[in-house]
């Protein structure tokens, strides 16, 4: 069985688990407006929108190397700036079970922690948000396959994206 040619979503050869800033957009399946509505130019989140927002912040609670910057929930999609930063690793979070104590100090050797790639982090976000949204009553909820990302390579681009978010 041959599969149709599909556009690659990620930059070929780029390590998406490396320290960097990433601008991410993920859309609801069929662009269904399930997160709330814009009223007087302000987004009013409903129960599902609040879940989508809460689960974004959960990423930073769960993975100590994740720093969250600007984030917005729109009626049918989310935008966010996520940073992977190994220097921010502290002694909390689920993935720290892979850390080994340093022989002399007993401190965690941060370089041994498995850093999830951007795709793995967004998959965790979408999976947990979907589960919570379905439990809240929107049983048919799903995200569009994959997500759009942009690697933020300089401060000027960062501020331009942050202002739009």
């Amino acid at each position: 069985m041959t599969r149709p040619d599909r556009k690659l979503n990620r930059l070929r050869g780029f390590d998406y688990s490396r320290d960097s800033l990433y601008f991410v957009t993920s859309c609801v399946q069929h662009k269904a407006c399930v997160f709330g509505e814009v009223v007087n130019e302000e987004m009013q989140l409903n129960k599902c929108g609040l879940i989508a927002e809460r689960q974004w912040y959960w990423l930073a609670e769960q993975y100590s190397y994740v720093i969250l910057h600007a984030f917005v929930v729109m009626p049918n999609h989310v935008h966010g700036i996520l940073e992977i930063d190994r220097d921010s690793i502290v002694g909390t979070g689920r993935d720290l079970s892979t850390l080994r104590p340093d022989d002399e100090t007993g401190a965690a050797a941060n370089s041994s922690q498995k850093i999830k790639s951007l795709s793995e982090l967004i998959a965790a976000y979408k999976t947990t948000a979907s589960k919570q949204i379905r439990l809240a009553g929107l049983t048919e909820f799903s995200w569009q396959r994959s997500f759009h990302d942009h690697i933020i390579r300089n401060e000027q681009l960062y501020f331009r994206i942050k202002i739009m978010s």
Side-chain angles (χ1 to χ4, degrees):
M1 175 176 161
T2 60
R3 296 178 186 242
D5 288 336
R6 290 190 2 222
K7 177 183 167 225
L8 292 176
N9 292 338
R10 308 291 160 250
L11 182 62
R12 188 181 304 263
F14 186 83
D15 177 4
Y16 279 88
S17 66
R18 74 185 241 191
D19 288 3
S20 195
L21 286 153
Y22 305 93
F23 176 60
V24 176
T25 300
S26 189
C27 296
V28 175
Q29 185 71 31
H30 306 298
K31 294 197 166 85
C33 294
V34 298
F35 293 145
E37 61 182 336
V38 178
V39 177
N40 296 325
E41 299 183 19
E42 185 176 318
M43 183 62 192
Q44 302 294 315
L45 298 177
N46 61 21
K47 181 170 41 173
C48 295
L50 291 170
I51 293 169
E53 182 178 65
R54 182 181 68 226
Q55 290 310 113
W56 180 258
Y57 294 111
W58 169 87
L59 284 172
E61 295 167 8
Q62 197 68 12
Y63 306 104
S64 61
Y65 51 85
V66 170
I67 299 171
L68 301 174
H69 295 258
F71 178 71
V72 64
V73 178
M74 297 305 292
N76 62 4
H77 65 281
V78 297
H79 294 292
I81 298 175
L82 179 148
E83 180 178 1
I84 295 176
D85 181 10
R86 285 167 176 75
D87 291 338
S88 67
I89 294 175
V90 294
T92 61
R94 179 158 77 182
D95 277 354
L96 294 179
S97 62
T98 61
L99 295 178
R100 290 184 285 263
D102 179 80
D103 293 337
E104 292 181 24
T105 65
N110 291 349
S111 63
S112 65
Q113 182 179 8
K114 161 109 173 55
I115 304 296
K116 290 190 180 298
S117 69
L118 180 64
S119 290
E120 291 170 314
L121 291 168
I122 299 305
Y125 166 71
K126 289 168 70 170
T127 298
T128 60
S130 295
K131 181 177 180 182
Q132 295 296 317
I133 290 168
R134 289 182 195 127
L135 287 172
L138 191 56
T139 57
E140 300 299 314
F141 176 82
S142 63
W143 295 97
Q144 274 186 1
R145 191 176 171 279
S146 196
F147 61 95
H148 173 77
D149 75 87
H150 187 92
I151 302 162
I152 300 175
R153 297 179 186 265
N154 59 55
E155 194 172 328
Q156 182 181 18
L157 181 58
Y158 172 81
F159 286 110
R160 191 168 74 224
I161 290 171
K162 186 174 179 181
I163 288 170
M164 293 184 336
S165 297

